[in-house]
Amino acid sequence: MCIRDRLKSHKDEIRILHVRDNILFSAGKGGASYGAMCIWDLRQLGQNTAPIEEREKNQDIFALRPKDDILFYGSRNHQVRRLDLRTMEAMSPFEPPHFDTVTSLALVNDYLVSGSRDKNLKLWRVDTAIHNLKFTAYAHQDWINTLESDDNTGLLYSGSRDGRIKVWCAEKEKLRCLNDLNSHQQAVNSIIKLENSSGRGMFASGSADRTIKIWRMNEDLMSRGPLINDDISNRNTGMEVETNFNN
């Protein structure tokens, strides 16, 4: 592999990237004279390595999540903010805000879920910005660092700084906790769902304790059929560690 182009604009750390239709979004820490988000046209590589737009000065962005023609992002100012991807115009942020930095975003059953250092999860409708907050859950005893959703099972996974992972479902415009996993000895920094041929829900978690754990639904849960609609609230979502990688 070789470096084709080096994109220079950010003056501080870059936390997250997203690509849509040859447009690259990079986001991280901004300052008084430079933006936290840069937007690049990848078709111009080799001719121009400058961003086509820079925005969100004096702001920090921790999460990006696209939905249709809207890019949602979580920021240090406690808000879930929005960008119209058709016009590249800023839209009004969701209200009310969190009480601390929004660290993570996920989509579950056409809802947006935001996680924050205020230890709360918020469930939002995405088809409107007015009265769209449907539920707030006091979810963890410490900062929420990461969120991940699984379209196949309809489950949401949240990881926190105290090393715990919780499993959730969204039903009747509420979030319901199905399981609380004492998963790691230090902060859970990342969770990602895993594709597998068995159809069983699987995900990997990475931690500050230098371990990666692979989780799957247990056999008892899978024998009861798929997780859908009203049935999900009556089930105990059993998860078990399948593989544990440590350094």
Side-chain angles (χ1 to χ4, degrees):
M1 302 292 291
C2 62
I3 297 175
R4 177 182 172 182
D5 287 286
R6 190 182 301 272
L7 306 180
K8 295 182 178 180
S9 182
H10 285 273
K11 305 298 190 299
D12 213 314
E13 63 177 305
I14 299 169
R15 295 191 180 98
I16 191 166
L17 301 172
H18 173 67
V19 174
R20 175 189 169 98
D21 297 334
N22 290 313
I23 303 298
L24 172 67
F25 300 85
S26 59
K29 188 173 183 178
S33 61
Y34 54 92
M37 181 187 295
C38 292
I39 304 172
W40 318 78
D41 188 341
L42 297 179
R43 294 164 294 188
Q44 297 180 5
L45 294 184
Q47 305 172 19
N48 180 16
T49 57
I52 59 175
E53 189 171 348
E54 185 176 321
R55 58 195 316 133
E56 297 292 346
K57 290 183 179 180
N58 203 29
Q59 185 58 268
D60 287 357
I61 297 175
F62 289 80
L64 298 175
R65 185 68 61 177
K67 169 66 174 172
D68 299 329
D69 291 320
I70 299 176
L71 180 66
F72 299 93
Y73 51 102
S75 61
R76 184 190 61 198
N77 70 349
H78 310 174
Q79 291 180 325
V80 176
R81 301 172 71 83
R82 304 184 299 157
L83 179 68
D84 189 323
L85 293 175
R86 296 164 297 184
T87 64
M88 295 299 172
E89 296 292 330
M91 305 171 68
S92 59
F94 283 171
E95 297 288 349
H98 280 271
F99 295 108
D100 207 332
T101 298
V102 178
T103 58
S104 47
L105 300 170
L107 292 166
V108 182
N109 299 337
D110 293 324
Y111 291 93
L112 181 75
V113 180
S114 56
S116 170
R117 290 178 180 175
D118 67 7
K119 309 171 190 177
N120 292 331
L121 293 175
K122 289 183 180 290
L123 182 73
W124 309 86
R125 283 182 56 184
V126 296
D127 56 351
T128 179
I130 301 174
H131 306 303
N132 64 329
L133 176 61
K134 294 303 167 184
F135 188 73
T136 300
Y138 183 76
H140 285 271
Q141 298 297 315
D142 209 333
W143 292 358
I144 298 171
N145 288 340
T146 182
L147 293 175
E148 176 69 314
S149 58
D150 188 334
D151 294 337
N152 295 325
T153 62
L155 296 178
L156 172 74
Y157 311 116
S158 61
S160 71
R161 194 172 64 166
D162 63 5
R164 305 192 77 88
I165 294 173
K166 291 190 177 183
V167 183
W168 307 80
C169 70
E171 56 174 358
K172 299 178 181 178
E173 298 193 332
K174 293 184 178 181
L175 287 169
R176 177 183 173 87
C177 184
L178 302 176
N179 210 327
D180 183 353
L181 308 172
N182 188 12
S183 55
H184 288 276
Q185 295 179 0
Q186 296 184 45
V188 179
N189 292 326
S190 183
I191 298 174
I192 188 168
K193 68 177 180 181
L194 300 176
E195 302 295 336
N196 66 97
S197 58
S198 69
R200 299 171 65 181
M202 293 183 64
F203 67 90
S205 58
S207 169
D209 66 11
R210 297 181 296 171
T211 65
I212 299 172
K213 294 185 178 182
I214 310 297
W215 302 81
R216 64 175 178 179
M217 292 183 183
N218 63 31
E219 293 287 353
D220 179 63
L221 177 70
M222 295 306 297
S223 68
R224 300 181 221 174
L227 291 167
I228 54 174
N229 300 332
D230 293 338
D231 288 340
I232 196 168
S233 62
N234 299 318
R235 301 183 179 182
N236 176 23
T237 304
M239 304 294 297
E240 58 192 12
V241 178
E242 182 173 79
T243 310
N244 186 3
F245 301 98
N246 58 67
N247 186 358

